[in-house]
Amino acid sequence: MFKIKYLIIFIFLLTSLQGKIGDIGPSLLAEFRLGYFNPEAANFEKIYGLDEEFPTVAFGLGYNGNYLLVRYLLYEEWGRSIITGVALHGIAKWREEILSIGIRSYDSAPFYFELAYAIGNVEENIYSEEREYTALNSSFSSMDNRGAIAAVGLNIPLLLGFQFSGEAEYIYLPIAAPASDKKINIGGWIYSLGISWAL
Amino acid sequence: MLPVLMLIVGCEDTTGPDDGLEDTPIAIYLISDADTLLLLTENTASISARGVFTETSEHLVTNTGVLADTSFIYETTDTLTKSIKASQLDWFSSDLVVASVAAGKIKAKAAGMALIWAAAGDVVSNRLTVVVSSPELPPELIIDPPPVQLIFQDSVTVSGRITAGLDATLKINSDTTDYDTAGRFGRVVNLVIGDNNFSITAINNQNGLSVTKSKRIIFLPIATAGITGLWEGETLTRPFSFDIYELLGVYIIDGTLTVDFTLLGGSKEIRDIVIAGLINSDGTISASLSKEQDGFVITGTLDGVFLDSGMSEGSYGIKLEKDGWPTASAKADWWATRQ
């Protein structure tokens, strides 16, 4: 009985506080997304594959359906680096995180559009399956890289202020390639599903 | 700058001296039956030289990620050893007052010691020591090592060298011993069980001046020598151990060894390399080394001598091979004491 009482109070509070994205006036937005990442960097699929999730969390402050949105994306993956000239398997570890700040507009509901400024870091470590062979160990990292994010999504309202959305997002985050003047885009396409909650 | 690992695989050319130095060798060896030549003033000695010539190929190993990458080059070298005409080399003496050298011919000039070596460009040979005596001085005398030795048979050869060309009398204990024109001597001596001490004396017949050196040989029947049991020692700062035991009248050495190889910039430890072999009647140890680990095949040989029933020493050579991998090798000395 005691637990049921607190559950009822929680649902009442949620019902009172819920909002809907696009409502008139100010609102807050919290969002969690899980996406499929299709990176542009050459050899990425060969080394890391393309079957891992790319989680994102976002928080926004909005007015009349337009939000100032901050996103945080973290992508970590293990893969197999390519070793030639000796019979040995390679191991690779990739870590990429991006913080973006931008504008998301629900004026064309149920669709939304987003444009953001992105700052990102990337780090890759490679070594052989026997790490004592230090000649085959290498690391690369690049911090504080600047780029942009563009996204389009379809928003479906649910109950109690929750919304469900599907999104296609493109990240452009160029970094200076090692030992070269060329730029490599460590972003790419993310196709994700998300749950948002609006207040 | 990329690190380089050298591998040398050698083969011997037995076709005879080469007519000219067409290529630069990677190593030059002066051929002598000893590291120290004993000469009398005004005498000469001829030294020949052999060179190691190579054909080197480079092999690239790479590791590539999306952004990170690294590479490593190791060299494999096929070698050919052949004679070098002495006149094709530059010859040097550390003390021209004691001995001079030209085209491989050493001339002893005055009593003293000098180092002799040869070079072809930047490649320098090993150094030979030349000890020059004059007829007015005691002979120079060198006894072949070790100075103390344990053996399991009742006779052994005591050998060494005296100054070549000197009119001298050589005695092992009270027995006069012959020596050849190069000053080398060797005499089979009978042993009694236990300690056998030999005084080797070389006497200059012109002035009676002499020099005496000693050698101690311990003869024990192998069954009572007390060498069976656990031996523990060290090689390249690594501990190792072996057992010696008797089986059907044969004495067997059985142990293990751990060696650190350097491969692809890192250390590859191979533990428990098997030592297996026999103890010979002349007190020497002859054993093979073997192991397979992580696809690597490790082979080698280990030899040694007993200094007494509680101490032994020796050396080993070992090689690490695996298909598709650079090969590594190691050589080292070892010592051990019976526990």
Side-chain angles (χ1 to χ4, degrees):
Chain A
M1 278 301 286
F2 190 71
K3 285 181 184 172
I4 293 175
K5 176 176 140 189
Y6 279 105
L7 181 60
I8 293 170
I9 292 172
F10 175 70
I11 292 172
F12 173 75
L13 278 173
L14 263 185
T15 309
S16 313
L17 293 171
Q18 72 175 320
K20 195 173 84 173
I21 288 178
D23 278 351
I24 302 295
S27 63
L28 296 174
L29 175 68
E31 181 175 270
F32 174 77
R33 313 197 66 81
L34 207 55
Y36 163 85
F37 184 32
N38 189 1
E40 280 193 359
N43 275 342
F44 199 98
E45 178 179 356
K46 191 175 180 182
I47 293 171
Y48 295 101
L50 288 177
D51 58 351
E52 291 297 327
E53 307 82 25
F54 197 150
T56 306
V57 292
F59 296 95
L61 180 65
Y63 188 84
N64 288 355
N66 296 296
Y67 289 83
L68 179 67
L69 199 72
V70 174
R71 284 203 201 222
Y72 175 71
L73 304 86
L74 174 65
Y75 181 69
E76 287 185 306
E77 183 58 88
W78 290 92
R80 284 201 172 273
S81 61
I82 302 166
I83 293 183
T84 64
V86 67
L88 203 57
H89 291 301
I91 296 174
K93 184 170 189 294
W94 180 276
R95 187 176 195 278
E96 181 175 350
E97 56 181 350
I98 302 170
L99 184 70
S100 71
I101 181 164
I103 300 291
R104 180 186 286 185
S105 172
Y106 288 88
D107 285 346
S108 305
F111 296 101
Y112 65 82
F113 300 92
E114 181 177 336
L115 209 58
Y117 178 73
I119 304 172
N121 303 327
V122 65
E123 182 179 342
E124 185 178 40
N125 293 286
I126 59 172
Y127 36 92
S128 71
E129 59 188 343
E130 296 193 46
R131 295 186 77 162
E132 63 267 30
Y133 302 130
T134 56
L136 298 179
N137 297 348
S138 181
S139 293
F140 176 88
S141 65
S142 180
M143 305 293 172
D144 199 27
N145 302 284
R146 308 300 170 99
I149 293 178
V152 59
L154 173 66
N155 191 59
I156 301 170
L158 301 174
L159 297 173
L160 303 175
F162 288 94
Q163 335 274 331
F164 176 80
S165 61
E167 180 184 281
E169 174 187 7
Y170 181 74
I171 301 173
Y172 176 68
L173 197 64
I175 67 166
S180 166
D181 293 333
K182 290 185 179 176
K183 293 284 189 184
I184 295 176
N185 178 22
I186 59 169
W189 285 97
I190 302 178
Y191 308 101
S192 63
L193 299 174
I195 290 287
S196 314
W197 187 73
L199 172 63
Chain B
M1 176 181 278
L2 295 170
V4 172
L5 172 69
M6 273 294 266
L7 162 72
I8 295 179
V9 175
C11 56
E12 184 81 7
D13 173 11
T14 55
T15 58
D18 196 344
D19 285 337
L21 199 62
E22 294 175 357
D23 302 308
T24 304
I26 63 162
I28 300 171
Y29 297 99
L30 300 184
I31 307 302
S32 171
D33 64 351
D35 293 333
T36 303
L37 298 178
L38 305 178
L39 296 177
L40 210 54
T41 49
E42 301 307 316
N43 280 8
T44 60
S46 288
I47 300 293
S48 59
R50 292 184 75 80
V52 178
F53 297 83
T54 64
E55 256 186 33
T56 300
S57 54
E58 289 186 344
H59 304 266
L60 179 66
V61 177
T62 65
N63 188 10
T64 305
V66 174
L67 299 172
D69 68 74
T70 184
S71 59
F72 180 85
I73 293 178
Y74 68 91
E75 291 181 346
T76 55
T77 306
D78 288 330
T79 61
L80 179 68
T81 304
K82 56 186 181 182
S83 299
I84 300 178
K85 242 181 174 178
S87 58
Q88 297 286 342
L89 298 171
D90 298 320
W91 294 84
F92 302 91
S93 167
S94 66
D95 191 338
L96 290 171
V97 173
V98 171
S100 63
V101 60
K105 198 160 186 177
I106 302 171
K107 183 167 174 130
K109 290 184 166 179
M113 189 180 78
L115 297 177
I116 302 292
W117 68 93
D122 294 333
V123 181
V124 181
S125 73
N126 56 308
R127 283 161 165 72
L128 291 181
T129 303
V130 177
V131 177
V132 179
S133 292
S134 76
E136 295 80 38
L137 296 174
E140 294 293 333
L141 176 63
I142 294 174
I143 309 301
D144 291 338
V148 179
Q149 190 175 358
L150 172 67
I151 67 170
F152 313 114
Q153 57 194 21
D154 59 7
S155 63
V156 73
T157 300
V158 173
S159 60
R161 285 172 296 118
I162 67 167
T163 306
L166 185 70
D167 178 18
T169 299
L170 182 68
K171 290 190 177 185
I172 298 178
N173 287 351
S174 57
D175 297 321
T176 301
T177 302
D178 294 329
Y179 55 91
D180 63 19
T181 54
R184 283 212 64 88
F185 67 90
R187 184 187 183 93
V188 176
V189 294
N190 294 317
L191 305 171
V192 297
I193 291 178
D195 265 308
N196 295 262
N197 290 293
F198 296 93
S199 283
I200 301 96
T201 302
I203 307 164
N204 185 329
N205 290 335
Q206 291 192 10
N207 54 30
L209 296 174
S210 66
V211 62
T212 298
K213 291 193 176 172
S214 62
K215 181 158 180 146
R216 179 182 171 214
I217 300 173
I218 305 166
F219 164 44
L220 294 173
I222 194 168
T224 60
I227 61 169
T228 55
L230 174 66
W231 291 68
E232 291 183 345
E234 192 176 286
T235 175
L236 294 174
T237 74
R238 284 283 201 165
F240 85 109
S241 62
F242 55 85
D243 279 302
I244 295 178
Y245 57 88
E246 181 265 340
L247 182 65
L248 300 176
V250 176
Y251 283 77
I252 295 167
I253 177 172
D254 174 11
T256 58
L257 179 66
T258 295
V259 176
D260 289 312
F261 291 91
T262 299
L263 275 179
L264 297 175
S267 173
K268 176 73 177 175
E269 180 190 77
I270 304 290
R271 301 184 67 86
D272 300 327
I273 300 169
V274 172
I275 305 168
L278 300 175
I279 310 302
N280 302 311
S281 298
D282 62 359
T284 58
I285 300 168
S286 303
S288 64
L289 304 174
S290 61
K291 178 78 189 279
E292 284 195 29
Q293 176 179 315
D294 302 329
F296 288 98
V297 175
I298 297 98
T299 56
T301 57
L302 178 143
D303 55 54
V305 294
F306 292 94
L307 303 180
D308 56 40
S309 60
M311 287 203 64
S312 61
E313 64 181 23
S315 63
Y316 66 87
I318 194 165
K319 194 163 62 174
L320 179 82
E321 295 175 294
K322 180 177 178 180
D323 282 346
W325 275 77
T327 303
S329 60
K331 284 184 184 178
D333 295 329
W334 62 268
W335 61 265
T337 56
R338 195 168 69 89
Q339 303 302 301

